[in-house]
Amino acid sequence: MRFTRMAAVAAVALLALGTAACGSDEPATPAGGTPLTAKAAAGDLKFGVKADQPGLGLQTGSNYEGFDIEIAKIIAKGLGGDPAKNKYVTTVSANREPFLQQGTVDVVVATYTINDDRKKKVNFAGPYYTAGQDLLVKADSTITGPEQIDGKKVCSVTGSTPAKRIAEKYPKAQLQLFDNYSKCVTALNDGTVDAVTTDDIILAGYAAQPDFAGKLKLVGKPFSSEPYGIGVKLEDKAGCNKINEILKAAVADGSYAAAWNATLGKSGTPAPTLDTTKLTNCPA
Ligand code: GLU
């Protein structure tokens, strides 16, 4: 009985080796999945993106726009596909890993911080941008940094790194969690919470909305580093490395800067300089 089970395990292991070794000119097929290049060729790439973050991932009707959407278009094109055929699926912070694991989406471009916990479940190409955790408060608030949030109602999103950091490092804050940041911003504007916390670049997008002009302000003292990665399935090393090549090419040919200029850069902030020697998160 025991022998039979061991033999079966060995057979599966051999099979896996055989799959990995065959067709070396072809893109490696990620276990349980079609290569991203094949999906791109078929016009069948599904990107998990945010739908409520102005400048980054914002849905209006059936249209999605923002820097992350432009990055998704660059990736689709680099994989040999037609970006106009991209399918966008709305993700929230908490369902990004499960959406990749279950194949609901092929790629996640959604203000998605690379970290070791998440790397156990998914692979990250990138980073393609580095944000920092900050606070959004009412224009007349006296909060000037995270050292002043003890006893305050601070809103963030389930499954996000900023929510985790508040719970761990600022346990005296009253953390209120929603599934997306726009609900937090509405709560702040209504006066039911004292601050919203997440990445500065996300909060700046809300503060710039005409509805909130003169009402909300970004504290502007980032207290973390949030390197944004492009999530793919944990098994898809080839796809991950290919996306890093695509990012390198996009910096070199100006399409990365153009993606920024068409979205977040509209406020006048120049495109960040992306150091492509730091695209080192994919497994070798
Ligand atoms: N970058 C952080 C994260 O990945 C916050 C933004 C978000 O929740 O999408 O958790």
Side-chain angles (χ1 to χ4, degrees):
M1 191 65 183
R2 167 169 275 212
F3 175 77
T4 314
R5 252 185 58 200
M6 277 174 63
V9 169
V12 170
L14 273 175
L15 199 67
L17 268 177
T19 312
C22 75
S24 57
D25 287 346
E26 294 298 313
T29 304
T34 312
L36 292 179
T37 42
K39 291 202 173 183
D44 191 27
L45 275 175
K46 292 191 273 306
F47 288 89
V49 296
K50 294 294 186 84
D52 69 321
Q53 298 178 184
L56 287 152
L58 187 69
Q59 183 182 14
T60 316
S62 60
N63 186 51
Y64 288 80
E65 61 180 26
F67 184 56
D68 281 347
I69 311 305
E70 295 307 311
I71 295 290
K73 289 181 192 165
I74 288 173
I75 294 167
K77 195 168 168 214
L79 289 168
D82 174 1
K85 295 201 173 134
N86 281 358
K87 297 184 177 101
Y88 298 107
V89 178
T90 298
T91 58
V92 291
S93 302
N95 65 17
R96 292 172 293 194
E97 291 93 276
F99 270 23
L100 283 168
Q101 288 171 315
Q102 292 154 14
T104 311
V105 299
D106 305 304
V107 180
V108 167
V109 194
T111 59
Y112 198 7
T113 295
I114 302 169
N115 65 31
D116 289 343
D117 274 354
R118 291 172 177 168
K119 275 191 190 179
K120 289 177 195 149
K121 297 177 182 167
V122 300
N123 272 330
F124 287 104
Y128 62 96
Y129 181 75
T130 301
Q133 182 169 355
D134 208 329
L135 294 159
L136 184 72
V137 294
K138 282 252 173 117
D140 59 359
S141 171
T142 55
I143 296 174
T144 57
E147 53 290 336
Q148 279 154 3
I149 59 173
D150 283 6
K152 303 279 189 211
K153 288 185 187 132
V154 178
C155 193
S156 197
V157 161
T158 309
S160 71
T161 50
K164 194 163 180 255
R165 190 167 294 106
I166 296 297
E168 288 173 2
K169 296 216 169 128
Y170 304 94
K172 289 185 182 150
Q174 295 175 42
L175 184 59
Q176 158 114 42
L177 295 173
F178 285 117
D179 63 346
N180 68 36
Y181 295 109
S182 41
K183 289 179 187 165
C184 281
V185 175
T186 303
L188 176 66
N189 198 43
D190 292 348
T192 53
V193 299
D194 301 301
V196 179
T197 190
T198 185
D199 304 334
D200 46 6
I201 193 78
I202 300 175
L203 296 174
Y206 290 117
Q209 295 303 290
D211 282 359
F212 304 128
K215 295 183 180 165
L216 305 181
K217 69 177 178 197
L218 185 65
V219 166
K221 268 203 274 169
F223 51 99
S224 77
S225 174
E226 308 289 333
Y228 285 180
I230 294 155
V232 298
K233 268 183 184 282
L234 186 60
E235 300 80 8
D236 194 3
K237 290 183 197 176
C240 189
N241 284 296
K242 175 77 185 158
I243 292 172
N244 276 346
E245 280 171 34
I246 294 168
L247 282 177
K248 261 186 219 163
V251 170
D253 72 11
S255 47
Y256 173 82
W260 176 273
N261 293 338
T263 55
L264 295 164
K266 278 187 184 164
S267 61
T269 317
T273 319
L274 187 67
D275 183 352
T276 51
T277 64
K278 302 236 165 82
L279 305 176
T280 53
N281 289 285
C282 294

